[in-house]
């Protein structure tokens, strides 16, 4: 079968690779739609230490079950499904307490095992979520990034309710954080994003206001809060400047949720963090409950990113990665896949 194989920084090609077989407790899925994540673009550039070449990436995906392994109900064959790609042990103290996303033994399809940038992919049966009739496979593939937003918004509200949240970065993950914040009941959610097309999309998807980076956003937040700052700021970009901007935008005693992974190390003034008693909260992935909630919002039509592009054929995969490296565009999401969505 064909697969998009990453072999090192900016080295990617479509190759013939072995077709997976359904092992015990697993199924084989024909990929329908697989979204390219920003973390995968960073991995393609060699900036993600958790990805080791050669690797078939692809962790935001949906498709149709074509084969089942020992112990799996044959009724799954032919079912269209969304996939939770995060696999945890289910037995450790963290898993038992509802923190499966940070299980020390966790694995992610597309990072620790072959992913969905291929014609077929093996998936544990426990990762499957059957889709109702009529649900678009492209929408179903958005459950994974939206689950990240659900988790991040939930962490932002752990210390109490919020009146104003600001999302820094309005790419796919930023838009998902924004919608999750809105659907979680935060009355005002604003966006900060340099790209004009993305700011417009943020407004369409529920942002009360959207600003380019810089003083205008910070002044507006101060005016709206009596000089205090936002209760919660979610940094969906993960660059040094966006992390520092998030710390400037948040109020004393507020929470900065760190979601984006663009840069590893960031210089941050910790005197200010201490004196303003800021909570810096990392947010990694999602729990099974977050994934289920995200998929429910997508199925109901409460969440989404607007009109979705058709999946590109796998042969276009390497060129699509190069295009994404060149920078943001009005196109919010790029999918690879072969099956009709």
């Amino acid at each position: 079968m064909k697969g998009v194989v990453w072999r090192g920084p900016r080295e990617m090609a479509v190759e013939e690779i072995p077709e997976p077989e359904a092992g015990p407790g697993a199924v084989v899925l024909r990929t329908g739609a697989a979204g390219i994540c920003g973390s995968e673009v960073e991995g393609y550039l060699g900036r993600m230490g958790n990805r080791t070449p050669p690797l078939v990436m692809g962790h935001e995906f949906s498709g149709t079950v074509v084969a089942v392994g020992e112990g799996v109900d044959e009724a799954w064959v032919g079912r269209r499904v969304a996939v939770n790609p995060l696999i945890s042990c289910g037995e450790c103290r963290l898993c038992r307490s509802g923190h499966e996303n940070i299980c020390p033994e966790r694995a992610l399809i597309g990072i620790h095992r072959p992913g969905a940038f291929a014609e077929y992919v093996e998936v544990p049966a426990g990762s499957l979520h059957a889709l109702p009739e009529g649900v678009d496979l492209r929408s179903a593939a958005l459950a994974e990034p939206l689950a990240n937003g659900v988790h991040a918004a939930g962490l932002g509200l752990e210390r109490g309710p919020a009146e104003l949240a600001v999302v820094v970065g309005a790419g796919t993950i930023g838009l998902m954080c924004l919608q999750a914040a809105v659907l979680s009941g935060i009355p005002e959610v604003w966006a900060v994003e340099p790209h004009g097309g993305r700011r417009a999309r943020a407004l369409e998807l529920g942002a009360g206001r959207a600003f380019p980076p810089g003083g205008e956003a910070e002044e507006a937040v101060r005016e709206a809060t009596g000089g205090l700052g936002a209760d919660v700021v979610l940094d969906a970009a993960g660059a040094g400047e966006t992390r520092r901007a998030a710390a400037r935008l948040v109020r004393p005693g507020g929470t900065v949720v760190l979601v984006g992974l663009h840069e590893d190390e960031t210089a941050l003034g910790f005197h200010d963090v201490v004196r303003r008693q800021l909570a810096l909260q990392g947010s990694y992935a999602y729990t099974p409950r977050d994934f289920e909630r995200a998929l429910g919002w997508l199925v109901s039509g409460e969440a989404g990113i607007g009109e979705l592009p058709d999946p590109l054929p796998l042969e276009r995969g390497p060129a699509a990665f190069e295009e994404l490296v060149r920078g943001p565009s009005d196109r919010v999401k790029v999918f690879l896949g072969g099956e009709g969505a």
Side-chain angles (χ1 to χ4, degrees), residues 39-81:
S39 67
E40 290 171 324
V41 177
E42 295 297 320
Y44 169 70
L45 294 172
R47 297 174 182 168
M48 285 286 168
N50 62 348
R51 289 171 170 84
T52 302
L55 175 67
V56 175
M57 294 192 254
H59 61 266
E60 304 177 359
F61 66 102
S62 62
T64 301
V65 177
V66 297
V68 298
E70 180 184 345
V72 181
D73 191 338
E74 290 277 352
W76 279 110
V77 175
R79 295 297 301 269
R80 299 163 79 250
V81 297

Side-chain angles (χ1 to χ4, degrees), residues 146 167 169-180 198 201-202 205 236 304-305 332:
L146 181 55
V167 177
T172 300
I173 291 295
L175 293 175
M176 297 307 188
C177 288
L178 186 153
Q179 290 178 89
R198 290 184 171 186
R201 183 67 61 91
L205 296 177
I305 54 173
V332 175

Side-chain angles (χ1 to χ4, degrees), residues 22 50 61 67 112 129 157 179 205 213 290 296 304 310:
N50 62 348
F61 66 102
H112 306 101
H129 293 260
L157 292 169
Q179 290 178 89
L205 296 177
D290 297 324
D310 291 333

Side-chain angles (χ1 to χ4, degrees), residues 123-218:
V123 175
S127 297
L128 303 178
H129 293 260
L131 298 175
E133 285 296 322
V135 174
D136 192 301
L137 288 176
R138 295 166 299 178
S139 292
L142 296 176
E144 199 278 345
L146 181 55
N148 278 274
V150 172
H151 190 69
L155 290 173
L157 292 169
E158 278 193 341
R159 302 177 76 214
E163 294 297 319
L164 172 63
V166 177
V167 177
V168 181
T172 300
I173 291 295
L175 293 175
M176 297 307 188
C177 288
L178 186 153
Q179 290 178 89
V182 170
L183 291 169
S184 296
I186 300 176
E188 279 291 320
V189 184
W190 296 357
V192 176
E193 162 63 44
H195 190 274
R198 290 184 171 186
R199 289 198 300 274
R201 183 67 61 91
L203 292 169
E204 292 171 4
L205 296 177
R209 301 178 71 178
F211 304 90
E216 182 185 358
E218 295 173 26

Side-chain angles (χ1 to χ4, degrees), residues 3-299:
V4 181
V5 182
W6 173 63
R7 293 197 170 275
R10 298 187 91 152
E11 292 184 25
M12 180 176 278
V14 178
E15 301 179 10
E16 286 293 325
I17 59 176
E19 189 168 319
E21 297 183 0
V27 308
V28 171
L29 199 73
R30 182 171 63 245
T31 301
I36 299 178
C37 176
S39 67
E40 290 171 324
V41 177
E42 295 297 320
Y44 169 70
L45 294 172
R47 297 174 182 168
M48 285 286 168
N50 62 348
R51 289 171 170 84
T52 302
L55 175 67
V56 175
M57 294 192 254
H59 61 266
E60 304 177 359
F61 66 102
S62 62
T64 301
V65 177
V66 297
V68 298
E70 180 184 345
V72 181
D73 191 338
E74 290 277 352
W76 279 110
V77 175
R79 295 297 301 269
R80 299 163 79 250
V81 297
V83 176
N84 179 345
L86 198 152
I87 304 160
S88 56
C89 76
E91 298 176 357
C92 69
R93 182 162 61 93
L94 288 171
C95 285
R96 294 198 309 271
S97 62
H99 300 290
E100 298 94 335
N101 59 310
I102 48 176
C103 168
E105 302 301 319
R106 68 183 182 270
L108 199 72
I109 297 171
I111 294 180
H112 306 101
R113 57 175 70 189
F117 294 155
E119 293 179 271
Y120 299 96
V121 57
E122 184 189 29
V123 175
S127 297
L128 303 178
H129 293 260
L131 298 175
E133 285 296 322
V135 174
D136 192 301
L137 288 176
R138 295 166 299 178
S139 292
L142 296 176
E144 199 278 345
L146 181 55
N148 278 274
V150 172
H151 190 69
L155 290 173
L157 292 169
E158 278 193 341
R159 302 177 76 214
E163 294 297 319
L164 172 63
V166 177
V167 177
V168 181
T172 300
I173 291 295
L175 293 175
M176 297 307 188
C177 288
L178 186 153
Q179 290 178 89
V182 170
L183 291 169
S184 296
I186 300 176
E188 279 291 320
V189 184
W190 296 357
V192 176
E193 162 63 44
H195 190 274
R198 290 184 171 186
R199 289 198 300 274
R201 183 67 61 91
L203 292 169
E204 292 171 4
L205 296 177
R209 301 178 71 178
F211 304 90
E216 182 185 358
E218 295 173 26
E219 183 178 345
V221 167
R222 286 193 295 269
E223 287 180 358
T225 59
L228 288 176
D231 301 299
V232 177
V233 181
L234 301 104
D235 173 34
E241 183 47 44
T242 61
R243 291 168 179 153
R244 288 186 287 270
R248 293 194 299 269
L249 287 162
V250 76
R251 65 166 170 80
T255 301
V256 174
V257 182
L258 301 163
V259 186
L261 291 168
H262 180 66
E263 294 178 4
D264 188 8
E265 297 184 5
T266 294
L268 187 64
F270 271 85
H271 285 185
D272 184 61
V273 171
V274 171
R275 290 169 180 154
R276 296 175 61 224
Q277 200 167 300
L278 305 184
L280 303 181
Q281 173 67 61
S283 179
Y284 176 73
Y286 37 81
T287 68
R289 278 79 55 202
D290 297 324
F291 191 94
E292 290 165 8
R293 191 176 193 190
L295 184 58
W297 282 343
L298 290 163
V299 167

